[in-house]
């Protein structure tokens, strides 16, 4: 009896499917390890909302978790076949954005400026060019930075509660510059554009905190900014 279907073809298909499933499972295992480290770093940094004196220690501990993530990304890089980064990137996109947020928060708390994509990539052991293989995608970097705005708006409110009335003004200047920078971009990515749209609410929330501090006369910086100079009559 003739066979119109070559069953060996399906056997080969099954081998491909089995290999693909095994590869994806190995990727998921490493990603879960990264997620655990990121969770630990997040927990460490939550202390900034209740005890300003522990900020330096929290940043130091978080850096250790981030350094450990770099080793995990090296494992991911070894797993992903050359030239197939975007085929599997959906597994690590979200956690990478989350780590960029954590790195940006640590750098801001330590030095008060915005971390660059190059520095963030270096901290995670990633490249910055697509042609170099496993890299930090620009959109993942930008989405991570936008997560920072929401955290800083919360931090501004809690800083006032803890008696630090100058910090909200500094945060307001930083987020204002960040907002200006993002407005220079022509964002065609839907997720990025939607997240940027939410930035205006973070800006507004921080401005309300600064206004409240200023109107109550709690911040010397805000007060001196709003009061006009009075020239003495001669």
């Amino acid at each position: 009896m003739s066979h119109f279907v070559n069953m060996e073809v399906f056997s080969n298909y099954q081998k491909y499917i089995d290999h693909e499933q095994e590869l994806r499972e190995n990727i998921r295992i490493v990603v879960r390890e990264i997620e655990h480290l990121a969770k630990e770093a997040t927990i460490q940094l939550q202390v900034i909302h209740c005890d300003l004196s522990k900020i330096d220690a929290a940043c130091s501990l978080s850096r250790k978790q981030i350094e450990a993530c770099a080793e995990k990304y090296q494992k991911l890089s070894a797993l992903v076949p050359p030239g197939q980064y975007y085929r599997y990137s959906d597994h690590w996109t979200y956690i990478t954005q989350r780590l960029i947020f954590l790195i940006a928060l640590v750098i801001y708390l330590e030095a008060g400026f915005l971390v660059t994509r190059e520095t963030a990539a270096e901290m995670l052991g990633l490249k910055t060019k697509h042609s170099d293989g496993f890299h930090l995608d620009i959109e993942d970097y930008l989405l991570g930075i936008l997560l920072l705005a929401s955290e800083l708006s919360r931090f501004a409110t809690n800083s006032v509660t803890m008696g630090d009335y100058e910090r909200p003004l500094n945060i307001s200047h930083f987020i204002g510059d960040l907002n200006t920078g993002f407005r220079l971009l022509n964002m065609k990515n839907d997720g990025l554009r939607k997240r940027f749209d939410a930035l205006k609410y973070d800006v507004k929330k921080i401005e309300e905190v600064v206004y409240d501090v200023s109107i109550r006369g709690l911040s010397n910086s805000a007060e001196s900014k709003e009061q006009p100079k009075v020239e003495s009559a001669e």
Side-chain angles (χ1 to χ4, degrees), residues 151-161 164 168 171 206 209:
E151 189 73 7
L152 289 182
S153 67
R154 179 188 171 204
F155 187 38
T157 302
N158 290 331
S159 293
V160 173
T161 303
D164 187 342
I171 292 175
I206 295 170
V209 173

Side-chain angles (χ1 to χ4, degrees), residues 47-64:
V47 74
I48 70 173
H49 296 293
C50 58
D51 191 342
L52 297 175
S53 67
K54 295 182 179 180
I55 289 179
D56 290 344
C59 289
S60 179
L61 291 171
S62 295
R63 275 183 173 273
K64 292 180 180 179

Side-chain angles (χ1 to χ4, degrees), residues 17-170:
I17 292 172
D18 290 342
H19 176 266
E20 181 74 5
Q21 290 176 340
E22 181 181 1
L23 176 56
R24 288 188 179 274
E25 181 57 29
N26 289 334
I27 289 173
R28 280 191 286 266
I29 290 172
V30 178
V31 169
R32 282 195 291 269
E33 293 173 352
I34 296 174
E35 288 172 343
H36 176 73
L37 291 168
K39 182 179 179 181
E40 291 296 320
T42 301
I43 291 172
Q44 295 293 343
L45 288 169
Q46 286 306 296
V47 74
I48 70 173
H49 296 293
C50 58
D51 191 342
L52 297 175
S53 67
K54 295 182 179 180
I55 289 179
D56 290 344
C59 289
S60 179
L61 291 171
S62 295
R63 275 183 173 273
K64 292 180 180 179
Q65 303 298 329
I66 292 168
E67 289 172 5
C69 286
E71 298 177 9
K72 304 301 180 183
Y73 275 105
Q74 291 304 308
K75 290 175 66 174
L76 274 182
S77 178
L79 285 171
V80 177
Q84 298 191 38
Y85 175 91
Y86 288 107
R87 180 177 181 177
Y88 301 98
S89 63
D90 58 300
H91 288 288
W92 59 77
T93 291
Y94 174 76
I95 191 57
T96 299
Q97 294 169 11
R98 186 73 186 172
L99 280 167
I100 296 304
F101 150 66
L102 292 171
I103 290 171
L105 180 57
V106 168
I107 297 297
Y108 175 79
L109 292 171
E110 290 178 339
F113 58 78
L114 178 65
V115 67
T116 64
R117 175 174 170 241
E118 290 73 19
T119 298
E122 182 180 355
M123 291 177 69
L124 292 176
L126 302 177
K127 308 295 184 182
T128 54
K129 294 181 181 179
H130 179 199
S131 57
D132 290 337
F134 209 94
H135 63 286
L136 174 56
D137 189 81
I138 292 177
E139 291 179 353
D140 287 340
Y141 166 76
L142 292 174
L143 283 164
I145 295 302
L146 285 170
L147 290 174
L148 176 65
S150 295
E151 189 73 7
L152 289 182
S153 67
R154 179 188 171 204
F155 187 38
T157 302
N158 290 331
S159 293
V160 173
T161 303
M162 291 181 282
D164 187 342
Y165 306 119
E166 305 301 324
R167 195 180 296 269
L169 185 60
N170 294 331

Side-chain angles (χ1 to χ4, degrees), residues 120-232:
E122 182 180 355
M123 291 177 69
L124 292 176
L126 302 177
K127 308 295 184 182
T128 54
K129 294 181 181 179
H130 179 199
S131 57
D132 290 337
F134 209 94
H135 63 286
L136 174 56
D137 189 81
I138 292 177
E139 291 179 353
D140 287 340
Y141 166 76
L142 292 174
L143 283 164
I145 295 302
L146 285 170
L147 290 174
L148 176 65
S150 295
E151 189 73 7
L152 289 182
S153 67
R154 179 188 171 204
F155 187 38
T157 302
N158 290 331
S159 293
V160 173
T161 303
M162 291 181 282
D164 187 342
Y165 306 119
E166 305 301 324
R167 195 180 296 269
L169 185 60
N170 294 331
I171 292 175
S172 179
H173 290 159
F174 177 82
I175 295 299
D177 288 346
L178 193 65
N179 185 43
T180 300
F182 269 94
R183 288 184 180 280
L184 297 175
L185 302 177
N186 180 19
M187 288 172 282
K188 297 181 179 180
N189 176 289
D190 287 341
L192 187 58
R193 188 171 62 250
K194 288 178 182 177
R195 187 62 195 85
F196 170 68
D197 289 341
L199 177 60
K200 62 184 178 183
Y201 297 107
D202 296 323
V203 172
K204 182 179 179 181
K205 182 178 178 181
I206 295 170
E207 287 176 345
E208 288 174 350
V209 173
V210 171
Y211 176 77
D212 188 56
V213 168
S214 175
I215 208 71
R216 294 171 182 269
L218 298 174
S219 169
N220 293 328
S221 299
E223 196 175 48
S224 61
K225 259 186 100 175
E226 290 197 355
Q227 290 181 351
K229 293 182 179 179
V230 180
E231 296 181 0
S232 58

